[in-house]
Amino acid sequence: MAFLELDGVTKRFGPHVAVEQLDLTVAKGEFVSLLGPSGCGKTTTLQMIAGFLDLTGGAIRLEGRNLAEIHPSRRGLGIVFQSYALFPHMTAAENVAFGLEMRRVPAAERAERVEAALAMVGLAGFADRYPRRMSGGQQQRVALARALVIRPSLLLLDEPLSNLDAKLREEMQIELRQIQRNLGTTTILVTHDQVEAMSLSDRIVVMNTGRVEQIGTPQETYERPASAFVANFLGKTNEFAGTIEAGTQPARIVAGSWSAPAPAGFSGPVTVSVRPEKIGFAGAGQGLAARVAIRIFQGNHWLFQCETECGPAIVIRQNDGMAQPAEGEAVRLAWRPEDMSLRAAGVRP
C-alpha cells in the first residue's frame, strides 16, 4: 500500500479546471516535488492534501485513510509556507513550541523537543530571538523547525526557499535535503525552480495547465523528457528538424548534415531534442555544419550560440583549459543517439 495516494484528484473553480485527474503514489520517506509554472495546479494540489481546499473529484489517502474524512488540524501534517508565517510577537523557541502547545505536550517534553528542533536546523543559540531580528534564512529555519517538531507523518513545503537569495537558497537546499534524509520524513515540495526540484527530489511531478506531463526521477525527466514542454521547462534544449530515411538498412535519422541509426517507433518528419551539454565539436566532415555566433565565458564552462543549417543551437562545454572555437569560426556539431529524444514533427509542446 502506498503511503500517500492521490487517485484521480480533480479541482474546479467554476468552469476553470485547476487540477485534472491527477494520479500519484508516494512511498514512505520519499521526497517528491510538484514542479511547474505559475497556474499549473501544483499549489492547489498541495492545498488539497493539507485540507485547505476541498476536492471536486477523486480521493487522497494517507496510510490508507481518506483525508476528506479528517479535519485539517487532525491530519498530523507539517507545513512550511512561502511567507514562513512566523508569529512576530513570539521568539524562535515560542514559534517552534506553538504546535506542541496546541497538542498539549507537557512542558518538560516540549522544551526538550524545541531545543532539539532548533539544534537540528542550526539555530541552537537563537531560541530567544524574535523574527524581526533574524535573516530570511534564519526565519526559514525556524519555520522548518516548527513544522518538524510535531513529528509529522507528512511534510508539505510551499516554495519555502523562493524568498532567499541565490547563494543562501543553494545552501538551504543542501541543508533541507540532509535533514529530510536524516529524519526520513515523507515530503512534498511545491516549486517552480527546476534546479531546486532536481537537487532535492527522489521524484519530480512535472505539471502543466492542471495536468501531469511526466513523473520520474530527476535524471529521467531531464534526460528522457516525455514531452516538448518537459524538455523546454527543465533547462535549455536544442531542437532540430529531422526525418527518418526508411530506404536505408538500417533506417537512419537525418538532421541537416548529421545522421545516425534511427530508433524504432518513428517514421517521417521528426523533431530532434538535444541538451546543450550533450553536444560536442566534431572533426571535419562529421556532424552538423555550424558557425559560432557568440562565445561567452561563464567560469566553469563556455556557452556557445551557434548558427546551423537546421537553425540556432546552444552548446555548453566545460572549461577544461583547452582552446575553444572563436566567434565566427566554422565548426561541426555532433551528439550520441542515446543523448537525444525524438517526437513526431508537428506535435504540440
Side-chain angles (χ1 to χ4, degrees):
M1 179 183 297
F3 180 75
L4 175 68
E5 183 179 7
L6 281 67
D7 183 8
V9 168
T10 298
K11 180 61 180 179
R12 295 187 181 91
F13 297 98
H16 173 67
V17 180
V19 179
E20 184 173 6
Q21 292 290 318
L22 192 156
D23 295 318
L24 174 67
T25 57
V26 180
K28 187 174 180 62
E30 192 174 17
F31 196 123
V32 173
S33 289
L34 306 181
L35 173 68
S38 298
C40 72
K42 56 188 187 295
T43 296
T44 299
T45 300
L46 194 80
Q47 291 177 340
M48 287 189 286
I49 297 172
F52 302 151
L53 290 175
D54 294 329
L55 280 67
T56 304
I60 301 177
R61 288 179 285 271
L62 182 63
E63 295 184 287
R65 300 173 299 159
N66 185 354
L67 288 185
E69 301 173 353
I70 304 173
H71 190 273
S73 64
R74 297 185 179 278
R75 296 185 182 187
L77 309 182
I79 305 174
V80 179
F81 299 99
Q82 181 177 353
S83 62
Y84 312 143
L86 300 178
F87 298 112
H89 62 287
M90 292 184 180
T91 64
E94 290 169 341
N95 267 284
V96 175
F98 182 78
L100 298 177
E101 291 178 2
M102 294 298 99
R103 288 163 174 77
R104 299 181 179 179
V105 174
E109 181 184 350
R110 189 166 67 234
E112 290 179 2
R113 288 170 64 173
V114 168
E115 182 180 4
L118 287 173
M120 176 180 58
V121 297
L123 293 177
F126 291 77
D128 296 326
R129 189 167 297 190
Y130 288 90
R132 64 179 177 272
R133 295 182 54 224
M134 305 178 81
S135 68
Q138 291 166 346
Q139 291 182 43
Q140 194 274 344
R141 288 182 173 91
V142 173
L144 181 60
R146 182 178 62 183
L148 292 172
V149 76
I150 64 172
R151 297 170 182 169
S153 57
L154 180 65
L155 178 62
L156 305 179
L157 306 175
D158 187 7
E159 304 205 44
L161 308 182
S162 61
N163 292 331
L164 306 180
D165 62 55
K167 185 175 184 296
L168 182 56
R169 185 164 61 247
E170 183 176 331
E171 293 173 358
M172 286 305 305
Q173 287 170 3
I174 296 172
E175 291 187 22
L176 178 58
R177 185 53 169 148
Q178 189 62 52
I179 290 171
Q180 191 272 339
R181 282 179 173 170
N182 289 341
L183 296 178
T185 305
T186 309
T187 303
I188 306 294
L189 169 71
V190 162
T191 182
H192 63 272
D193 187 313
Q194 302 90 334
V195 174
E196 184 169 284
M198 288 190 285
S199 300
L200 292 171
S201 310
D202 296 310
R203 285 189 300 150
I204 298 174
V205 181
V206 185
M207 300 181 66
N208 182 32
T209 61
R211 297 184 178 184
V212 172
E213 292 272 344
Q214 185 172 357
I215 300 175
T217 67
Q219 186 173 2
E220 287 170 349
T221 52
Y222 185 83
E223 300 284 0
R224 293 289 179 267
S227 68
F229 173 83
V230 176
N232 286 282
F233 192 76
L234 284 177
K236 300 179 178 70
T237 192
N238 295 294
E239 294 193 339
F240 306 113
T243 188
I244 305 295
E245 294 187 347
T248 59
Q249 292 297 328
R252 297 187 68 80
I253 177 173
V254 177
S257 49
W258 175 90
S259 68
F266 290 91
S267 62
V270 293
T271 299
V272 181
S273 180
V274 194
R275 297 292 186 189
E277 67 276 10
K278 301 295 186 180
I279 298 179
F281 294 117
Q286 302 175 16
L288 182 64
R291 185 173 300 276
V292 177
I294 298 174
R295 184 181 75 166
I296 301 174
F297 179 65
Q298 297 187 325
N300 65 339
H301 68 268
W302 288 86
L303 185 147
F304 298 87
Q305 176 72 55
C306 300
E307 297 297 335
T308 82
E309 54 194 310
C310 294
I314 297 173
V315 179
I316 293 176
R317 293 286 88 200
Q318 289 299 309
N319 179 21
D320 55 7
M322 303 295 289
Q324 301 290 342
E327 292 184 359
E329 185 174 337
V331 294
R332 310 286 295 197
L333 307 181
W335 55 92
R336 300 183 305 173
E338 58 265 34
D339 289 333
M340 68 181 180
S341 60
L342 300 181
R343 69 177 189 274
V347 173
R348 187 176 60 87

Coordinates of all heavy atoms in Angstrom, one line a residue, residues 158-224:
D158 N 5.7 24.7 0.7 CA 5.1 25.5 -0.4 C 6.1 26.6 -0.8 O 6.1 27.7 -0.2 CB 3.8 26.1 0.1 CG 3.1 26.9 -1.1 OD1 3.5 26.8 -2.2 OD2 2.0 27.5 -0.8
E159 N 7.0 26.3 -1.7 CA 8.0 27.2 -2.2 C 8.7 27.9 -1.0 O 8.8 29.1 -1.0 CB 7.4 28.2 -3.2 CG 6.7 27.6 -4.3 CD 6.6 28.5 -5.6 OE1 7.7 29.1 -5.9 OE2 5.6 28.5 -6.2
P160 N 9.3 27.2 -0.1 CA 9.8 27.8 1.2 C 11.1 28.5 0.9 O 11.5 29.3 1.8 CB 10.0 26.6 2.1 CG 10.3 25.4 1.1 CD 9.4 25.7 0.0
L161 N 11.8 28.3 -0.2 CA 13.1 28.9 -0.4 C 13.1 30.1 -1.4 O 14.1 30.7 -1.7 CB 14.1 27.9 -0.9 CG 14.2 26.6 0.0 CD1 15.3 25.7 -0.6 CD2 14.5 26.9 1.4
S162 N 11.9 30.4 -1.9 CA 11.8 31.3 -3.0 C 12.1 32.8 -2.6 O 12.5 33.6 -3.5 CB 10.4 31.3 -3.6 OG 9.4 31.7 -2.7
N163 N 12.1 33.1 -1.3 CA 12.4 34.5 -0.9 C 13.8 34.7 -0.5 O 14.2 35.8 -0.1 CB 11.5 34.8 0.3 CG 10.0 34.9 0.0 OD1 9.7 35.3 -1.1 ND2 9.2 34.6 1.0
L164 N 14.6 33.6 -0.7 CA 16.1 33.7 -0.3 C 16.9 34.1 -1.6 O 16.5 33.8 -2.7 CB 16.5 32.4 0.2 CG 15.7 31.8 1.4 CD1 16.3 30.5 1.9 CD2 15.7 32.8 2.6
D165 N 18.0 34.7 -1.3 CA 18.9 35.0 -2.5 C 19.6 33.7 -3.0 O 19.5 32.7 -2.3 CB 20.0 36.0 -2.1 CG 20.9 35.5 -1.0 OD1 21.5 34.5 -1.1 OD2 21.0 36.2 0.1
A166 N 20.1 33.8 -4.1 CA 20.6 32.5 -4.8 C 21.6 31.7 -4.0 O 21.4 30.5 -3.9 CB 21.2 32.9 -6.2
K167 N 22.6 32.4 -3.4 CA 23.6 31.7 -2.6 C 23.0 31.0 -1.4 O 23.2 29.8 -1.1 CB 24.7 32.6 -2.2 CG 25.9 31.9 -1.5 CD 27.0 32.9 -1.3 CE 28.2 32.2 -0.6 NZ 27.9 31.6 0.7
L168 N 22.1 31.7 -0.7 CA 21.5 31.1 0.5 C 20.5 30.1 0.1 O 20.4 29.0 0.9 CB 20.8 32.3 1.3 CG 20.2 31.8 2.6 CD1 21.2 31.2 3.5 CD2 19.5 33.0 3.3
R169 N 19.8 30.2 -1.0 CA 18.9 29.2 -1.4 C 19.6 27.9 -1.7 O 19.2 26.8 -1.3 CB 18.1 29.7 -2.6 CG 17.0 28.7 -3.1 CD 16.1 29.4 -4.1 NE 16.7 29.9 -5.3 CZ 16.9 31.1 -5.6 NH1 16.4 32.1 -4.8 NH2 17.4 31.5 -6.8
E170 N 20.8 28.0 -2.3 CA 21.5 26.8 -2.6 C 22.0 26.1 -1.3 O 22.0 24.9 -1.2 CB 22.8 27.1 -3.5 CG 23.6 25.9 -3.9 CD 24.7 26.3 -4.9 OE1 24.6 27.3 -5.6 OE2 25.7 25.6 -4.9
E171 N 22.5 26.9 -0.4 CA 22.9 26.3 0.9 C 21.7 25.7 1.6 O 21.9 24.6 2.2 CB 23.5 27.5 1.8 CG 24.8 28.0 1.3 CD 25.2 29.2 2.1 OE1 24.5 29.6 3.0 OE2 26.3 29.8 1.8
M172 N 20.5 26.3 1.6 CA 19.4 25.8 2.3 C 18.9 24.5 1.6 O 18.3 23.6 2.3 CB 18.3 26.8 2.4 CG 18.5 27.9 3.4 SD 18.9 27.3 5.1 CE 17.4 26.2 5.4
Q173 N 19.0 24.4 0.3 CA 18.7 23.2 -0.4 C 19.4 22.0 0.1 O 18.9 20.9 0.4 CB 18.9 23.3 -1.9 CG 17.9 24.3 -2.6 CD 18.3 24.6 -4.0 OE1 19.3 24.1 -4.5 NE2 17.6 25.4 -4.7
I174 N 20.7 22.2 0.3 CA 21.6 21.1 0.8 C 21.2 20.7 2.3 O 21.0 19.6 2.6 CB 23.1 21.5 0.8 CG1 23.5 21.8 -0.7 CG2 24.0 20.5 1.5 CD1 24.9 22.4 -0.8
E175 N 20.9 21.8 3.1 CA 20.5 21.5 4.5 C 19.2 20.8 4.6 O 19.0 19.9 5.3 CB 20.5 22.8 5.3 CG 21.9 23.4 5.5 CD 21.8 24.6 6.4 OE1 20.9 24.7 7.2 OE2 22.7 25.5 6.4
L176 N 18.3 21.3 3.8 CA 16.9 20.7 3.8 C 16.9 19.2 3.4 O 16.3 18.4 4.0 CB 16.0 21.5 2.8 CG 14.6 21.0 2.7 CD1 13.9 21.0 4.0 CD2 13.8 21.9 1.7
R177 N 17.7 18.9 2.3 CA 17.8 17.5 1.9 C 18.4 16.7 2.9 O 18.0 15.5 3.2 CB 18.6 17.5 0.6 CG 18.6 16.1 -0.1 CD 17.3 15.5 -0.3 NE 17.3 14.3 -1.1 CZ 16.5 13.3 -1.0 NH1 15.5 13.3 0.0 NH2 16.5 12.3 -1.8
Q178 N 19.5 17.2 3.6 CA 20.1 16.4 4.6 C 19.2 16.1 5.8 O 19.2 15.0 6.3 CB 21.4 17.2 5.1 CG 22.3 16.3 6.0 CD 22.8 15.1 5.3 OE1 23.4 15.2 4.2 NE2 22.7 13.9 5.9
I179 N 18.5 17.2 6.2 CA 17.5 17.0 7.3 C 16.5 16.0 7.0 O 16.1 15.1 7.8 CB 16.9 18.3 7.7 CG1 17.9 19.3 8.3 CG2 15.7 18.1 8.6 CD1 17.4 20.7 8.5
Q180 N 15.9 16.1 5.7 CA 14.9 15.1 5.3 C 15.4 13.7 5.3 O 14.7 12.8 5.7 CB 14.4 15.6 3.9 CG 13.1 14.8 3.5 CD 13.4 13.5 2.8 OE1 14.4 13.3 2.2 NE2 12.4 12.7 2.7
R181 N 16.6 13.5 4.8 CA 17.2 12.2 4.8 C 17.4 11.6 6.2 O 17.2 10.4 6.4 CB 18.5 12.2 4.0 CG 18.3 12.3 2.5 CD 19.7 12.3 1.8 NE 19.5 12.2 0.3 CZ 20.4 12.4 -0.6 NH1 21.7 12.7 -0.2 NH2 20.2 12.2 -1.9
N182 N 17.9 12.5 7.1 CA 18.2 12.0 8.4 C 16.9 11.6 9.2 O 16.9 10.6 9.9 CB 18.9 13.1 9.2 CG 20.3 13.3 8.8 OD1 20.9 12.5 8.1 ND2 20.9 14.5 9.1
L183 N 15.8 12.4 9.0 CA 14.6 12.1 9.6 C 13.7 11.1 8.9 O 12.9 10.4 9.5 CB 13.8 13.4 9.8 CG 14.4 14.5 10.7 CD1 13.5 15.7 10.7 CD2 14.6 14.0 12.1
G184 N 13.9 11.0 7.6 CA 13.1 10.0 6.8 C 11.6 10.5 6.7 O 10.7 9.7 6.5
T185 N 11.4 11.8 6.8 CA 10.0 12.3 6.7 C 9.6 12.4 5.3 O 10.2 13.0 4.4 CB 9.9 13.7 7.4 OG1 10.4 13.7 8.7 CG2 8.5 14.2 7.4
T186 N 8.4 11.8 5.0 CA 7.8 11.9 3.6 C 7.6 13.4 3.3 O 6.9 14.0 4.1 CB 6.6 11.1 3.5 OG1 6.8 9.7 4.0 CG2 6.1 11.0 2.1
T187 N 8.0 13.8 2.2 CA 8.0 15.3 1.9 C 7.4 15.6 0.5 O 7.8 14.9 -0.4 CB 9.4 15.9 2.1 OG1 9.9 15.6 3.4 CG2 9.3 17.4 1.8
I188 N 6.5 16.5 0.4 CA 6.0 17.0 -0.8 C 6.4 18.5 -1.0 O 6.0 19.3 -0.1 CB 4.5 16.9 -1.0 CG1 4.0 15.5 -0.7 CG2 4.0 17.4 -2.3 CD1 4.5 14.5 -1.7
L189 N 7.2 18.8 -2.0 CA 7.6 20.2 -2.2 C 6.9 20.8 -3.4 O 6.9 20.1 -4.5 CB 9.1 20.2 -2.4 CG 9.7 21.6 -2.9 CD1 9.7 22.6 -1.9 CD2 11.2 21.3 -3.4
V190 N 6.4 22.0 -3.3 CA 5.9 22.8 -4.5 C 7.0 23.8 -4.9 O 7.5 24.5 -4.0 CB 4.6 23.5 -4.1 CG1 4.3 24.6 -5.1 CG2 3.4 22.5 -4.1
T191 N 7.4 23.8 -6.1 CA 8.4 24.7 -6.6 C 8.2 25.0 -8.1 O 7.7 24.1 -8.8 CB 9.8 24.2 -6.3 OG1 10.7 25.2 -6.7 CG2 10.1 22.9 -7.0
H192 N 8.7 26.2 -8.5 CA 8.7 26.4 -10.0 C 10.2 26.5 -10.4 O 10.5 26.7 -11.6 CB 8.1 27.8 -10.3 CG 8.8 29.0 -9.6 ND1 8.5 29.4 -8.4 CD2 9.8 29.7 -10.0 CE1 9.3 30.4 -8.0 NE2 10.1 30.6 -9.0
D193 N 11.1 26.2 -9.4 CA 12.5 26.2 -9.7 C 13.0 24.8 -10.1 O 13.1 23.9 -9.3 CB 13.3 26.7 -8.4 CG 14.8 26.9 -8.6 OD1 15.4 26.1 -9.3 OD2 15.3 28.0 -8.2
Q194 N 13.4 24.7 -11.4 CA 13.8 23.4 -11.9 C 15.1 22.8 -11.2 O 15.1 21.6 -10.8 CB 14.1 23.5 -13.4 CG 13.0 24.0 -14.2 CD 13.0 25.5 -14.4 OE1 13.5 26.3 -13.5 NE2 12.4 26.0 -15.5
V195 N 16.1 23.7 -10.9 CA 17.3 23.2 -10.2 C 16.9 22.8 -8.8 O 17.5 21.7 -8.4 CB 18.3 24.4 -10.2 CG1 19.5 23.9 -9.4 CG2 18.8 24.7 -11.6
E196 N 16.1 23.5 -8.1 CA 15.7 23.1 -6.8 C 15.0 21.7 -6.8 O 15.3 20.9 -6.0 CB 14.7 24.1 -6.2 CG 14.3 23.9 -4.8 CD 13.6 25.1 -4.2 OE1 14.2 26.1 -3.9 OE2 12.3 25.1 -4.1
A197 N 14.1 21.5 -7.7 CA 13.4 20.2 -7.8 C 14.4 19.1 -8.1 O 14.3 18.0 -7.5 CB 12.3 20.3 -8.9
M198 N 15.3 19.3 -9.0 CA 16.3 18.3 -9.3 C 17.3 18.0 -8.2 O 17.7 16.9 -8.0 CB 17.0 18.6 -10.6 CG 16.1 18.5 -11.9 SD 16.9 18.6 -13.5 CE 17.2 20.3 -13.5
S199 N 17.6 19.1 -7.5 CA 18.6 18.9 -6.4 C 18.0 18.2 -5.2 O 18.7 17.4 -4.5 CB 19.0 20.3 -5.9 OG 19.6 21.0 -7.0
L200 N 16.7 18.4 -4.9 CA 16.1 17.8 -3.7 C 15.4 16.5 -3.8 O 15.3 15.8 -2.9 CB 15.2 18.9 -3.1 CG 15.8 20.2 -2.6 CD1 14.7 21.2 -2.2 CD2 16.6 19.9 -1.3
S201 N 14.9 16.2 -5.0 CA 13.8 15.2 -5.1 C 14.3 13.8 -5.4 O 15.3 13.6 -6.1 CB 12.9 15.6 -6.2 OG 12.4 17.0 -6.1
D202 N 13.6 12.9 -4.9 CA 13.7 11.5 -5.3 C 12.9 11.3 -6.7 O 13.4 10.6 -7.6 CB 13.1 10.5 -4.3 CG 13.9 10.5 -3.0 OD1 15.1 10.4 -3.0 OD2 13.2 10.7 -1.9
R203 N 11.8 12.0 -6.7 CA 11.0 12.0 -8.0 C 10.4 13.4 -8.2 O 10.2 14.1 -7.2 CB 9.9 11.0 -8.0 CG 10.3 9.5 -8.2 CD 9.1 8.6 -8.4 NE 8.2 8.7 -7.2 CZ 6.9 8.5 -7.3 NH1 6.3 8.2 -8.4 NH2 6.2 8.5 -6.2
I204 N 10.2 13.7 -9.5 CA 9.6 15.0 -9.8 C 8.3 14.8 -10.6 O 8.2 13.9 -11.4 CB 10.5 15.8 -10.7 CG1 11.8 16.1 -10.0 CG2 9.9 17.1 -11.2 CD1 12.9 16.8 -10.8
V205 N 7.2 15.5 -10.2 CA 6.0 15.5 -10.9 C 5.9 16.8 -11.7 O 5.7 17.9 -11.1 CB 4.8 15.4 -10.0 CG1 3.4 15.4 -10.7 CG2 4.9 14.2 -9.1
V206 N 6.1 16.8 -13.0 CA 6.1 18.0 -13.8 C 4.6 18.2 -14.3 O 4.0 17.4 -14.9 CB 7.0 17.8 -15.1 CG1 7.0 19.1 -15.9 CG2 8.4 17.4 -14.7
M207 N 4.1 19.4 -13.9 CA 2.7 19.8 -14.2 C 2.6 20.9 -15.1 O 3.5 21.8 -15.2 CB 2.0 20.1 -12.9 CG 2.0 19.0 -11.9 SD 1.1 19.4 -10.3 CE -0.6 19.5 -11.0
N208 N 1.5 20.9 -15.9 CA 1.3 22.0 -16.9 C -0.2 22.1 -17.1 O -0.9 21.1 -17.4 CB 2.0 21.7 -18.2 CG 1.8 22.8 -19.2 OD1 1.7 24.0 -18.9 ND2 1.8 22.4 -20.5
T209 N -0.8 23.3 -16.9 CA -2.2 23.6 -17.1 C -3.1 22.5 -16.4 O -4.0 22.0 -17.0 CB -2.6 23.7 -18.5 OG1 -2.3 22.4 -19.2 CG2 -1.8 24.8 -19.2
G210 N -2.7 22.2 -15.1 CA -3.6 21.3 -14.3 C -3.3 19.8 -14.6 O -4.0 19.0 -13.9
R211 N -2.5 19.5 -15.5 CA -2.3 18.0 -15.8 C -0.8 17.7 -15.6 O 0.1 18.5 -15.7 CB -2.6 17.8 -17.3 CG -4.1 18.0 -17.6 CD -4.4 17.6 -19.1 NE -5.8 17.8 -19.4 CZ -6.3 17.4 -20.6 NH1 -5.5 16.9 -21.5 NH2 -7.6 17.6 -20.8
V212 N -0.6 16.4 -15.3 CA 0.7 15.8 -15.2 C 1.3 15.5 -16.5 O 0.8 14.8 -17.3 CB 0.7 14.6 -14.3 CG1 2.1 13.9 -14.3 CG2 0.3 14.9 -12.9
E213 N 2.5 16.1 -16.8 CA 3.2 15.9 -18.0 C 4.1 14.6 -17.9 O 4.3 13.9 -18.9 CB 4.0 17.1 -18.4 CG 3.2 18.3 -18.8 CD 2.9 18.3 -20.3 OE1 3.5 17.5 -21.1 OE2 2.0 19.1 -20.7
Q214 N 4.7 14.5 -16.7 CA 5.7 13.4 -16.5 C 6.0 13.2 -15.1 O 6.0 14.2 -14.3 CB 7.0 13.6 -17.3 CG 8.0 12.5 -17.2 CD 9.2 12.7 -18.1 OE1 9.3 13.7 -18.8 NE2 10.1 11.7 -18.1
I215 N 6.1 12.0 -14.6 CA 6.6 11.7 -13.3 C 7.8 10.8 -13.4 O 7.8 9.8 -14.1 CB 5.5 10.9 -12.5 CG1 4.2 11.8 -12.3 CG2 6.0 10.5 -11.1 CD1 3.1 11.1 -11.7
G216 N 8.9 11.2 -12.7 CA 10.1 10.3 -12.8 C 11.2 10.9 -11.9 O 11.0 11.9 -11.3
T217 N 12.3 10.2 -11.9 CA 13.4 10.7 -11.1 C 14.0 12.0 -11.8 O 13.7 12.2 -13.0 CB 14.6 9.7 -11.1 OG1 15.1 9.5 -12.4 CG2 14.0 8.3 -10.5
P218 N 14.7 12.8 -11.1 CA 15.3 14.0 -11.8 C 16.1 13.6 -13.0 O 16.0 14.3 -14.1 CB 16.2 14.5 -10.7 CG 15.6 14.1 -9.4 CD 15.1 12.8 -9.7
Q219 N 16.9 12.5 -13.0 CA 17.6 12.2 -14.2 C 16.7 11.7 -15.3 O 16.9 12.1 -16.5 CB 18.6 11.0 -13.9 CG 19.5 10.7 -15.0 CD 20.6 9.7 -14.6 OE1 20.7 9.2 -13.5 NE2 21.5 9.4 -15.5
E220 N 15.7 11.0 -15.0 CA 14.7 10.5 -16.1 C 14.0 11.7 -16.7 O 13.9 11.7 -18.0 CB 13.7 9.6 -15.5 CG 14.2 8.2 -15.1 CD 13.2 7.4 -14.3 OE1 12.2 8.0 -13.8 OE2 13.4 6.2 -14.1
T221 N 13.5 12.6 -15.9 CA 12.8 13.7 -16.5 C 13.7 14.7 -17.3 O 13.3 15.3 -18.3 CB 12.1 14.5 -15.4 OG1 13.0 14.9 -14.4 CG2 10.9 13.7 -14.8
Y222 N 15.0 14.8 -16.9 CA 15.9 15.6 -17.6 C 16.4 15.0 -18.9 O 16.5 15.5 -20.0 CB 17.0 16.0 -16.7 CG 18.0 17.0 -17.4 CD1 17.7 18.4 -17.4 CD2 19.2 16.6 -18.0 CE1 18.6 19.3 -18.0 CE2 20.1 17.5 -18.6 CZ 19.7 18.8 -18.6 OH 20.6 19.7 -19.2
E223 N 16.8 13.7 -18.7 CA 17.5 13.0 -19.8 C 16.5 12.5 -20.8 O 16.8 12.4 -22.0 CB 18.3 11.8 -19.3 CG 19.5 12.3 -18.4 CD 20.6 12.9 -19.1 OE1 20.6 13.0 -20.3 OE2 21.6 13.3 -18.4
R224 N 15.3 12.1 -20.4 CA 14.3 11.5 -21.2 C 12.9 12.2 -21.0 O 12.0 11.6 -20.5 CB 14.1 10.0 -20.9 CG 15.4 9.1 -21.3 CD 15.5 9.0 -22.8 NE 16.7 8.3 -23.2 CZ 17.9 8.8 -23.4 NH1 18.1 10.1 -23.3 NH2 18.9 8.0 -23.8

